[in-house]
Amino acid sequence: MARAENEPDLALDELATRYNPLEMEEKIYEEWLRGGYFHQEVDPSRKPFCIVIPPPNVTGSLHIGHALDNTLQDILIRWHRMMGDNTVWIPGTDHAGIATQVKVEAALAKEGLSRHDIGREEFVRRVWQWKEKYGGTIRSQLQRLGASCDWERERFTMDEGLSRAVRQVFVRLYGKGLVYRGTYIINWCPRCHTSLSDLEVEHQDTNGAIYHIKYPLAREEGHVTVATTRPETMLGDTAVAVNPDDPRYRHLVGKEVVLPIMGREIPIIADEHADPEFGTGAVKVTPAHDPNDFEIGLRHNLPAVKVIGEDGRMTKEAGKYEGLDRYACREKVVEELAALGLLEKTEAHDHAVGHCQRCHTVVEPMISRQWFVKMRPLAEPAIKAVEDGRIRFVPDRFAKVYLNWMENIHDWCISRQLWWGHRIPVWYCAECGEAIASTETPEECSKCGSSRLEQDPDVLDTWFSSALWPFSTMGWPEDTPELRHFYPTSVLVTAYDIIFFWVARMIFMGLEFMGEAPFRDVFIHGLVRASSGKKMSKSLGTGVDPLEVVDKYGADVLRFTLVTGNTPGNDMRFREERLEASRNFANKLWNASRFVLMNLGGFDRAAVGEQDLDLLPADRWIRSRVNRVAQKVSSHLRDYEVGEAARTLYDFTWDEFCDWYIEISKARLYGDDARARTTAQYVLAETLGKVLRLLHPFAPFITEGIWQRLPGARGSIMVSAWPEFEERLDDPDAEADMAALMDVTRAIRNIRSEMNVPPQKKVEAIVVATGGMAQVLRAGGDFVTRLAGLARLAIEERLARKPEKAASAIVTGAEVYVPLAGVIDLDAEIRRLERDLRAAEAALEAAERKLANPTFVEKAAEEVVDRERARRDEYAEKRARLAARLADLKG
């Protein structure tokens, strides 16, 4: 194929006899990169289409969720690129504060060192080294998947430009009073030694206990029994709370109890947080170690006594238990309470316990001085943007999830006690205590002029910089051509599990700093689960490494598997057999294309016009059908129904193009009529070209490899024109006629198969039809005769009586009969059918018996029960079919 000067050589050798993705995918991707096909400059004359990639952790590796997410994005990007839009997909990675620091600390531990041994500056240098060594892994993995990102625009959340944006945002929010420093209850990870936002805490059901403890009244006989799941925190109690409407305790409000073990007196207070239905209705109040108690403490001006330290050990405020691990302390406290006769009872109790999302250590709520973002002023415009339709969630049910969270949002704790990340741009004056927030490092105090300044040691939450991603990646705070043209971005593609972590934060940051929402649409997909429906787990052996799948099957097969059957917002189950089905489809496409290309010898696409064609109804049919399919696929993609688009293409390519039209074309390809051969070649090449272009976003490598051999193709398929619906090709009559002929042919083929008629055996068929159907059958009789393996096709308007010993079928507008006397051994066939019918009835009875067993239905895995129901339905359908065939032969 002739190439323009400097155009990359995308063509491979002769199309191989077997589809082998590993031989072609790497070469094709290198040629795409060399050709610069992924990069487009800003072009104000064209409609923009922009996606920013959800930035994966820089030191991470591709997991199956990434594979799905980036496949969906790539499909949309390739589609819009082919439609001629000014298309850009901005890639990048996240510095992933805690996750990356944990990895580097683990590497240091192997050297017998901690970060404190080497100091902050050296530790940060080591993290940068780690990033340089491992940071490219996920990029190369995305490329193996076929991601057509604009790598020239690749960003990193801690590169110079994005760091400048982070400082600018912090300082502006600080200046507006939307960032503040305060002492509040926060989530603390004793392992990572840092605060965590609520979203970074995973709650896991845990087997625990409720301890009922007697708190003696201070100046009279009696006691109040409180119930708690954490007796070690009682050492920091500063009150006992009861509900003001609880008649059991109303007379005790305002009195005091003696805190067991510690011996100090604490008040009994009335607060609506106390639930009369939980435990005894009286609750201990520990403002330093429980978020609800913290709020009670604020309402009643209670002191906060911190008895658990940042290392998870008891502080000096815990008295004799100082230095003990919190759980060892729990055991000691329970033992002492029992010895004192103050442990009334212990009950088993399952409850959700917060764990660090990164290291899975149990999180400790504790009082701490941290930096926060004031959320209510930022949340209100972010709520309105969704309510008034400026931002659309797909599916729309996730808008309710988003709105519910935003309407009940708490202030966001943004400081982390880490060394890796964006250091908080605030300096404290050692002389006067002034706090200075600045985008640049100050040289002296703005209040007293002292040069003795020290920067806040904490870093910002990773999600703070990620929240700026849609505009910081385009050069903000500078006014760049990219920002003016591509912002707001077109769509955000992400899983539902980070709506709160990331989506919501991008929305309120975009509105605050750009004055516009960061994207028009939010396309939410589900999670990829194991075949059982459970979450994938490497430790349980149910995890799937997408790169291993690519090594075995190729990227296109993985991509197609992930999107077929996928519906927006719903989880999908990953099964090996679905990979096999996608590979079979790739092989089908490859072999069909090879057949077409082998039969285009002497065909010059440029020299053939429509006037040179002698189109048959089958030609008009396939041209109309691929035209309709293009329209349908475009519609599905516009609605983000990517799975439906893939299914539509799968069905058309496999069934109508490969199994029907290619078969239909063979007679003309092998015949002597040159005009008929040229017509078949023209329509085959045209249809294959459209099929390849429509499939390209879903399976980019195989379609590129075949495209390069197609006569008339030029350059990469990814910059070829997307097939649009053409009114002139729409031919409903041809579609209806061919559907009728195919129905009859299919009915005869089914009869042949079910009645064990040998493939080479020619049979007679009688079709009873009237009016238009009869006319269609007479016109297309040769088609049915050839494809159904007939010796003769008789078309009758009526029959005096049904043919004897004939199998029958009913299709729309016609009855089909295939006389079998003399074609097969009827007695032997009757015996076979009777035997098969008995087996089908026995299998159906067994399946129904199994499904009638409540134990099986209730206890077996859902997919096992579903499989058994499918078997039952299959056996029932088979029994009906066999019974009908027996009736035909015995009639």
Side-chain angles (χ1 to χ4, degrees):
M1 185 175 73
R3 293 186 294 118
E5 189 178 355
N6 298 324
E7 186 179 301
D9 181 12
L10 282 158
L12 306 173
D13 298 331
E14 185 78 16
L15 204 61
T17 54
R18 286 182 66 254
Y19 168 56
N20 187 340
L22 297 183
E23 289 180 359
M24 56 186 272
E25 289 184 351
E26 186 177 352
K27 178 179 179 181
I28 286 175
Y29 199 92
E30 287 173 359
E31 293 295 345
W32 284 338
L33 288 175
R34 193 172 296 122
Y37 291 112
F38 303 159
H39 178 77
Q40 292 187 13
E41 293 295 333
V42 171
D43 183 353
S45 68
R46 292 159 63 202
K47 178 184 173 185
F49 183 84
C50 177
I51 295 178
V52 290
I53 198 171
N57 290 356
V58 68
T59 58
S61 58
L62 200 70
H63 59 63
I64 200 71
H66 287 135
L68 170 61
D69 190 68
N70 287 285
T71 294
L72 292 171
Q73 290 174 77
D74 196 41
I75 287 169
L76 296 174
I77 284 289
R78 288 178 182 271
W79 173 46
H80 280 273
R81 190 185 287 125
M82 293 175 76
M83 288 201 298
D85 293 342
N86 195 189
T87 306
V88 62
W89 184 13
I90 300 177
T93 48
D94 191 285
H95 65 277
I98 294 178
T100 305
Q101 178 157 322
V102 165
K103 286 189 177 183
V104 177
E105 286 194 72
L108 279 175
K110 292 178 182 177
E111 302 175 34
L113 297 171
S114 74
R115 61 178 163 128
H116 301 286
D117 293 327
I118 63 174
R120 183 168 191 149
E121 188 176 336
E122 173 61 17
F123 179 79
V124 171
R125 190 186 68 81
R126 293 249 192 146
V127 182
W128 277 105
Q129 281 183 337
W130 181 276
K131 182 260 180 187
E132 293 306 317
K133 184 174 181 180
Y134 296 105
T137 300
I138 202 153
R139 177 185 183 181
S140 62
Q141 291 177 336
L142 284 168
Q143 291 179 343
R144 287 207 62 196
L145 189 66
S148 60
C149 301
D150 185 347
W151 300 110
E152 295 178 39
R153 288 191 165 96
E154 186 176 13
R155 303 305 298 266
F156 175 50
T157 51
M158 280 186 64
D159 68 28
E160 186 179 344
L162 270 66
S163 295
R164 187 167 62 252
V166 167
R167 281 192 171 193
Q168 188 78 237
V169 165
F170 183 96
V171 171
R172 288 194 194 181
L173 290 174
Y174 181 86
K176 294 179 71 172
L178 294 175
V179 162
Y180 65 94
R181 198 176 187 215
T183 301
Y184 286 90
I185 196 87
I186 52 98
N187 303 299
W188 182 266
C189 176
R191 162 64 185 78
C192 297
H193 296 287
T194 186
S195 60
L196 304 171
S197 73
D198 291 343
L199 294 174
E200 293 170 306
V201 177
E202 291 181 341
H203 288 86
Q204 300 173 13
D205 288 336
T206 305
N207 297 325
I210 295 181
Y211 302 87
H212 294 255
I213 306 168
K214 298 176 184 177
Y215 283 38
L217 293 170
R219 291 171 186 78
E220 58 187 274
E221 291 297 314
H223 64 269
V224 174
T225 301
V226 303
T228 180
T229 59
R230 305 184 66 214
E232 69 278 9
T233 64
M234 67 166 287
L235 305 174
D237 284 0
T238 55
V240 169
V242 296
N243 192 284
D245 297 324
D246 193 334
R248 294 172 295 176
Y249 301 112
R250 196 173 291 146
H251 67 290
L252 294 176
V253 173
K255 296 184 178 183
E256 293 179 326
V257 293
V258 177
L259 180 62
I261 300 175
M262 302 306 286
R264 66 175 178 265
E265 294 183 3
I266 58 176
I268 299 173
I269 61 174
D271 194 280
E272 291 188 354
H273 172 71
D275 181 0
E277 303 298 321
F278 177 78
T280 64
V283 294
K284 56 190 283 304
V285 181
T286 321
H289 293 288
D290 183 275
N292 293 315
D293 293 2
F294 178 77
E295 296 297 332
I296 294 173
L298 291 178
R299 288 194 290 272
H300 297 271
N301 199 27
L302 299 174
V305 180
K306 190 172 178 179
V307 294
I308 301 175
E310 294 176 355
D311 57 358
R313 295 184 175 276
M314 308 310 289
T315 69
K316 66 179 181 179
E317 299 290 348
K320 59 188 172 185
Y321 297 119
E322 180 183 1
L324 273 183
D325 173 79
R326 52 186 167 160
Y327 296 114
C329 179
R330 178 181 295 181
E331 292 178 10
K332 294 288 185 184
V333 165
V334 170
E335 286 175 12
E336 185 166 353
L337 289 169
L340 292 170
L342 297 176
L343 184 64
E344 190 172 280
K345 63 177 177 178
T346 303
E347 298 174 318
H349 177 65
D350 294 343
H351 60 130
V353 176
H355 290 69
C356 174
Q357 187 188 54
R358 294 296 176 189
C359 71
H360 308 297
T361 301
V362 173
V363 166
E364 189 61 51
M366 66 172 62
I367 204 161
S368 178
R369 192 159 170 77
Q370 301 286 340
W371 285 95
F372 294 84
V373 172
K374 193 178 291 183
M375 284 308 307
R376 182 51 54 192
L378 295 170
E380 286 172 359
I383 290 169
K384 191 175 180 183
V386 172
E387 287 179 336
D388 65 19
R390 279 175 287 156
I391 297 174
R392 177 177 69 128
F393 277 81
V394 180
D396 62 3
R397 69 177 184 272
F398 287 102
K400 295 176 184 175
V401 175
Y402 164 88
L403 290 170
N404 182 61
W405 186 73
M406 291 294 281
E407 286 163 358
N408 297 282
I409 199 165
H410 299 289
D411 285 358
W412 174 17
C413 178
I414 56 171
S415 47
R416 298 291 180 271
Q417 289 63 52
L418 303 171
W419 287 355
W420 172 244
H422 295 282
R423 196 163 174 180
I424 290 175
V426 172
W427 287 259
Y428 305 105
C429 177
E431 297 289 341
C432 69
E434 179 75 357
I436 305 155
S438 175
T439 57
E440 304 295 336
T441 303
E443 295 183 1
E444 61 180 36
C445 176
S446 56
K447 185 175 181 181
C448 73
S450 171
S451 59
R452 293 177 60 202
L453 302 177
E454 187 173 338
Q455 188 174 359
D456 193 301
D458 291 352
V459 301
L460 289 164
D461 178 9
T462 295
W463 295 101
F464 190 92
S465 51
S466 301
L468 319 181
W469 190 249
F471 55 92
S472 64
T473 52
M474 297 188 205
W476 189 92
E478 305 301 324
D479 180 20
T480 65
E482 283 79 8
L483 271 174
R484 291 194 297 272
H485 188 56
F486 289 118
Y487 189 94
T489 64
S490 307
V491 58
L492 177 76
V493 181
T494 190
Y496 59 70
D497 59 342
I498 58 171
I499 289 175
F500 311 138
F501 276 114
W502 192 44
V503 179
R505 289 165 175 169
M506 281 190 290
I507 291 173
F508 66 68
M509 286 295 197
L511 290 166
E512 174 69 18
F513 291 96
M514 293 296 296
E516 283 188 272
F519 24 74
R520 308 294 188 198
D521 294 338
V522 182
F523 173 24
I524 300 291
H525 60 78
L527 306 181
V528 184
R529 297 190 176 275
S531 59
S532 63
K534 295 180 180 178
K535 189 175 181 180
M536 286 191 175
S537 167
K538 286 184 180 179
S539 60
L540 295 177
T542 58
V544 174
D545 182 343
L547 273 299
E548 290 181 3
V549 176
V550 171
D551 287 339
K552 183 176 179 181
Y553 293 95
D556 288 335
V557 168
L558 174 61
R559 290 167 63 112
F560 211 76
T561 299
L562 289 171
V563 298
T564 46
N566 188 295
T567 54
N570 293 330
D571 293 348
M572 65 171 292
R573 297 183 182 190
F574 191 88
R575 295 186 175 96
E576 186 84 13
E577 55 265 32
R578 294 186 64 239
L579 286 169
E580 296 289 347
S582 296
R583 179 162 64 182
N584 291 342
F585 177 68
N587 284 330
K588 184 87 168 180
L589 175 66
W590 185 267
N591 292 333
S593 301
R594 202 165 167 271
F595 171 84
V596 172
L597 294 171
M598 287 170 60
N599 283 280
L600 293 182
F603 176 68
D604 182 358
R605 173 68 181 82
V608 179
E610 295 267 344
Q611 69 281 358
D612 302 312
L613 305 179
D614 189 6
L615 295 171
L616 298 181
D619 301 319
R620 299 195 337 265
W621 161 74
I622 199 67
R623 297 180 89 194
S624 183
R625 285 295 303 129
V626 75
N627 191 43
R628 293 273 185 106
V629 165
Q631 183 184 45
K632 197 171 182 181
V633 169
S634 294
S635 176
H636 284 318
L637 290 177
R638 277 192 297 274
D639 294 336
Y640 301 108
E641 295 282 356
V642 179
E644 277 301 293
R647 186 193 59 78
T648 298
L649 285 168
Y650 179 99
D651 290 346
F652 171 79
T653 304
W654 187 294
D655 186 38
E656 295 177 79
F657 181 56
C658 296
D659 284 356
W660 287 100
Y661 186 73
I662 286 180
E663 287 301 313
I664 292 167
S665 69
K666 287 180 179 178
R668 287 178 292 167
L669 290 173
Y670 303 151
D672 298 327
D673 187 330
R675 188 179 175 90
R677 176 180 168 81
T678 297
T679 300
Q681 288 175 320
Y682 182 97
V683 177
L684 279 169
E686 177 188 68
T687 307
L688 177 59
K690 287 186 177 181
V691 166
L692 293 174
R693 283 181 284 154
L694 290 169
L695 278 170
H696 176 70
F698 305 86
F701 291 108
I702 190 172
T703 51
E704 183 73 87
I706 298 168
W707 174 263
Q708 296 308 314
R709 315 315 191 284
L710 200 62
R714 188 173 184 80
S716 171
I717 190 173
M718 78 164 67
V719 290
S720 63
W722 179 256
E724 300 283 358
F725 179 79
E726 297 180 71
E727 197 70 45
R728 68 183 184 87
L729 296 177
D730 191 37
D731 197 333
D733 291 340
E735 290 190 38
D737 291 353
M738 278 299 297
L741 295 172
M742 289 159 66
D743 280 350
V744 171
T745 303
R746 202 177 285 115
I748 297 169
R749 285 175 170 178
N750 288 342
I751 290 171
R752 293 180 64 107
S753 173
E754 291 170 12
M755 292 302 192
N756 279 345
V757 177
Q760 69 279 7
K761 184 81 171 179
K762 300 289 186 182
V763 297
E764 178 187 357
I766 303 165
V767 180
V768 180
T770 59
M773 183 64 169
Q775 199 173 352
V776 168
L777 286 168
R778 289 191 180 96
D782 290 345
F783 166 89
V784 177
T785 299
R786 187 172 70 256
L787 294 184
L790 301 180
R792 174 176 173 270
L793 173 65
I795 299 159
E796 307 288 349
E797 291 197 1
R798 65 182 61 82
L799 288 176
R801 60 188 179 86
K802 176 184 167 183
E804 292 186 6
K805 309 299 183 187
S808 63
I810 296 175
V811 298
T812 303
E815 296 174 21
V816 180
Y817 298 93
V818 178
L820 295 171
V823 175
I824 57 174
D825 185 332
L826 290 174
D827 291 337
E829 188 59 22
I830 288 171
R831 287 194 299 273
R832 181 189 71 81
L833 289 171
E834 288 173 337
R835 186 171 62 249
D836 289 352
L837 180 60
R838 287 193 297 272
E841 287 173 337
L844 176 61
E845 185 180 342
E848 286 177 335
R849 194 163 52 244
K850 202 170 188 179
L851 289 167
N853 182 350
T855 304
F856 170 74
V857 175
E858 291 168 11
K859 294 189 176 180
E862 184 183 349
E863 65 171 356
V864 173
V865 177
D866 288 345
R867 195 160 52 236
E868 195 61 33
R869 287 185 177 127
R871 283 199 190 106
R872 176 198 58 194
D873 295 344
E874 182 185 330
Y875 296 143
E877 192 273 335
K878 185 176 182 180
R879 180 184 66 176
R881 196 171 63 247
L882 289 167
R885 291 291 173 242
L886 265 173
D888 284 339
L889 295 189
K890 288 180 175 181

